[in-house]
Amino acid sequence: MKNNISSLSDIYNLVVENYVREYNISASAKELWLDALEPISMEGNVVTLATDTDFKRNTINSIYLEKLEEQFTIVLGNPIKVEIIIKDDIPTTETKFNDIRNSRELTNKIDNIVHDNKVTYTFDNFIVGPSNNLAYAAAKAVSQKQHEKYNPLFIYGDSGLGKTHLLSAIQNEMTKNYPGINIIYISAETFTNEFLHSITANKTELFDEKYRNADALLIDDIQFIAGKEQTEEKFFHIFNELYKLNKAIVLTSDRPAKEIKSISDRLKTRFSSGLAADVRAPEYETRLAIIQRKADLLNFKIPDDVVDFIATKLKSNIRQIEGVVTKMNALYMVSQIKPTIVVAQNVIKDIVSDHQPIPITVDKIISEAAKIYNVDPDEIRSPKRNSPVSSARKVAIYVIQEITGLPYETIGQEFSGRDHSTVVYAIKNVKEMMAKDSNFRSVIEDLIKNIKANQ
């Protein structure tokens, strides 16, 4: 589409601007007839505009329609037909969406289609562009056991940019090409929980044996182990064992190794000893390719202007881009809602909302604070006042307020009904400690980031 216009409203505004300049119509005529038209949809070469009365529709059809079609054709670069409808004659897209949202049956059908259309992550369905080509090439080499110069491979970047896709693609490629290979693919949070469980169950030897027998170790979100001294120590020794045996090690993180502030220097050194490859937000052309590939996989035809709209509106999260295409396909299958710019606009609102971090539970935050101070979460909630428990409680209170924004009184209720002033004091105390101690500040910052990343 020419001019790279991002929405039907923008297109119509440009059409009106050109119309006024070309035909020199008065401001009052523009306001009465053209500004009152509302862009509804564009399907193929037909643009639908809406007005509120038959009189206005008849006037526009007789006086303005031909020239509107001419200006749309000039702006879009291909012949366009314009249809004028009455707003009350058809249900609006927003109404259709509200009907779906209010129908548990329709919502369930759409959710099931979205779930069923999740594809297996492979190298073939990974869209390569300037923002990720190094990470892709290195991951492909590792999957072919050509990992010597890439070991460890450390892939970093923001959430939703394809790091997990690459890890899964490595696993799937190796499993296919090397039957019997022992691949461990796990999140750092699960690794940590498994290790802690092995300690409490007195099964650390089994834990060590499992990981040291791996032919390839793929760990997602390795930054999660930062500040967890026992876990870091255990991972350090496992890493060294596998590295000496020339086993493939691939790690992902939301930031470069040097920026994981509360992780030990020796682990930073290990992480940086191979190849560090970043994945960045995809460029416009790459986003177009991602949308088109996803649509092709679903056998779903999306008009070019809608593809352009999605690529222009969603710039920094591949997962969201693919999610919009998947949901639009589900809407069409369930309710015959065609993929127009207006539909895309509504789906984007839903998808972006769905992908925001879910309300982070107080239990999760308290649990993470308990791990830092090696205390029981129930002790943090209790009236106990010994030093480790008290410190963990202050950190938990600070993080809860920082992330959730809950009122002080509500936070206090989570800790044996402590009052407003106690919560205020805890938050103030943590802030003062962060200002004085950079290491402590790093621990808190990483704690907050890790909790958000794993929701």
Side-chain angles (χ1 to χ4, degrees):
M1 186 177 75
K2 295 184 178 181
N3 297 311
N4 192 28
I5 302 166
S6 62
S7 73
L8 185 56
S9 293
D10 292 338
I11 294 171
Y12 183 64
N13 289 338
L14 184 56
V15 165
V16 171
E17 182 183 316
N18 290 353
Y19 192 115
V20 171
R21 184 174 58 248
E22 182 72 21
Y23 301 108
N24 195 31
I25 69 169
S26 67
S28 58
K30 171 180 176 292
E31 181 179 359
L32 179 61
W33 304 111
L34 301 183
D35 289 350
L37 284 170
E38 178 184 340
I40 299 299
S41 67
M42 179 173 176
E43 299 180 18
N45 67 335
V46 178
V47 171
T48 302
L49 307 174
T51 188
D52 52 4
T53 67
D54 279 323
F55 173 73
K56 285 186 178 180
R57 178 173 62 179
N58 293 337
T59 302
I60 292 167
N61 280 337
S62 62
I63 299 175
Y64 296 96
L65 183 63
E66 183 178 344
K67 292 182 174 64
L68 279 172
E69 290 179 339
E70 179 183 310
Q71 291 305 315
F72 266 109
T73 297
I74 290 171
V75 169
L76 294 173
N78 52 280
I80 295 295
K81 299 294 292 181
V82 174
E83 289 186 358
I84 311 298
I85 64 171
I86 305 300
K87 292 179 184 178
D88 293 339
D89 286 351
I90 60 167
T92 65
T93 301
E94 194 66 43
T95 300
K96 291 180 181 178
F97 269 78
N98 288 335
D99 288 344
I100 290 170
R101 292 186 185 106
N102 293 331
S103 169
R104 184 183 295 269
E105 181 182 358
L106 289 177
T107 300
N108 288 341
K109 285 182 179 179
I110 290 169
D111 289 344
N112 288 337
I113 291 172
V114 169
H115 181 269
D116 291 344
N117 280 327
K118 288 184 178 179
V119 299
T120 301
Y121 289 141
T122 67
F123 289 111
D124 289 339
N125 58 33
F126 186 88
I127 301 298
V128 184
S131 58
N132 58 28
N133 53 3
L134 177 59
Y136 170 84
K140 192 76 182 287
V142 170
S143 73
Q144 297 167 352
K145 291 191 173 181
Q146 299 171 7
H147 58 273
E148 290 82 0
K149 57 184 176 181
Y150 303 124
N151 213 23
L153 173 57
F154 190 90
I155 303 173
Y156 65 92
D158 289 336
S159 177
L161 294 181
K163 302 188 301 296
T164 300
H165 188 144
L166 288 174
L167 279 187
S168 296
I170 292 172
Q171 181 188 37
N172 290 328
E173 188 81 359
M174 288 183 125
T175 301
K176 180 178 71 175
N177 294 332
Y178 308 104
I181 190 171
N182 182 15
I183 304 169
I184 296 180
Y185 173 20
I186 196 170
S187 71
E189 181 177 19
T190 302
F191 176 89
T192 300
N193 291 336
E194 278 189 10
F195 172 57
L196 295 177
H197 177 73
S198 74
I199 293 174
T200 57
N202 197 27
K203 295 181 178 180
T204 53
E205 289 185 5
L206 290 176
F207 178 88
D208 292 346
E209 183 180 358
K210 171 185 173 180
Y211 283 93
R212 286 172 176 161
N213 285 331
D215 295 312
L217 179 61
L218 317 177
I219 297 193
D220 213 357
D221 290 322
I222 193 64
Q223 78 279 354
F224 184 82
I225 71 171
K228 300 174 175 65
E229 293 182 7
Q230 284 183 293
T231 305
E232 282 192 36
E233 180 74 19
K234 176 58 66 177
F235 182 76
F236 176 79
H237 291 297
I238 290 172
F239 180 102
N240 283 345
E241 289 283 341
L242 295 178
Y243 185 81
K244 288 175 184 176
L245 295 170
N246 195 31
K247 304 298 185 180
I249 304 170
V250 185
L251 312 170
T252 72
S253 171
D254 63 353
R255 67 203 101 156
K258 65 182 179 181
E259 294 181 14
I260 308 177
K261 296 177 182 178
S262 55
I263 208 164
S264 65
D265 287 339
R266 62 181 183 173
L267 272 179
K268 289 182 186 179
T269 301
R270 296 296 190 280
F271 294 165
S272 304
S273 63
L275 175 69
D278 66 333
V279 287
R280 303 182 303 278
E283 308 76 12
Y284 173 75
E285 292 77 11
T286 305
R287 298 197 298 273
L288 290 179
I290 290 167
I291 296 165
Q292 198 56 61
R293 172 63 68 85
K294 186 66 176 179
D296 289 345
L297 288 170
L298 297 172
N299 196 26
F300 181 49
K301 176 63 177 174
I302 304 178
D304 290 344
D305 61 315
V306 181
V307 173
D308 170 79
F309 178 80
I310 298 169
T312 303
K313 289 296 183 182
L314 294 176
K315 300 179 181 179
S316 59
N317 192 306
I318 294 171
R319 197 175 298 133
Q320 289 181 354
I321 292 171
E322 293 183 334
V324 167
V325 178
T326 303
K327 188 161 185 178
M328 288 177 68
N329 176 59
L331 284 166
Y332 180 71
M333 293 176 68
V334 170
S335 301
Q336 289 72 55
I337 297 177
K338 295 181 180 180
T340 65
I341 287 176
V342 176
V343 170
Q345 205 163 23
N346 278 276
V347 171
I348 286 172
K349 289 177 184 176
D350 284 350
I351 291 291
V352 170
S353 175
D354 288 345
H355 281 77
Q356 295 303 312
I358 61 174
I360 298 170
T361 65
V362 172
D363 287 345
K364 175 71 172 175
I365 295 171
I366 291 175
S367 175
E368 291 303 316
K371 290 177 185 177
I372 292 175
Y373 288 91
N374 197 27
V375 298
D376 189 276
D378 289 338
E379 292 181 304
I380 295 179
R381 292 180 183 272
S382 76
K384 282 190 177 181
R385 295 180 179 271
N386 65 58
S387 181
V389 171
S390 178
S391 297
R393 184 181 299 124
K394 289 175 185 175
V395 166
I397 289 173
Y398 173 82
V399 174
I400 290 169
Q401 202 283 324
E402 184 73 15
I403 294 178
T404 68
L406 287 171
Y408 292 161
E409 293 81 359
T410 305
I411 295 174
Q413 291 302 313
E414 296 290 340
F415 299 90
S416 300
R418 283 174 166 80
D419 61 24
H420 174 278
S421 61
T422 302
V423 174
V424 171
Y425 171 77
I427 293 170
K428 180 182 177 183
N429 186 256
V430 171
K431 286 182 176 178
E432 289 174 350
M433 291 173 63
M434 290 173 68
K436 293 176 183 178
D437 186 339
S438 60
N439 289 329
F440 178 75
R441 182 177 66 250
S442 295
V443 169
I444 300 303
E445 289 174 349
D446 281 342
L447 173 60
I448 291 171
K449 196 161 189 176
N450 288 335
I451 289 173
K452 286 182 176 179
N454 284 278
Q455 297 306 305

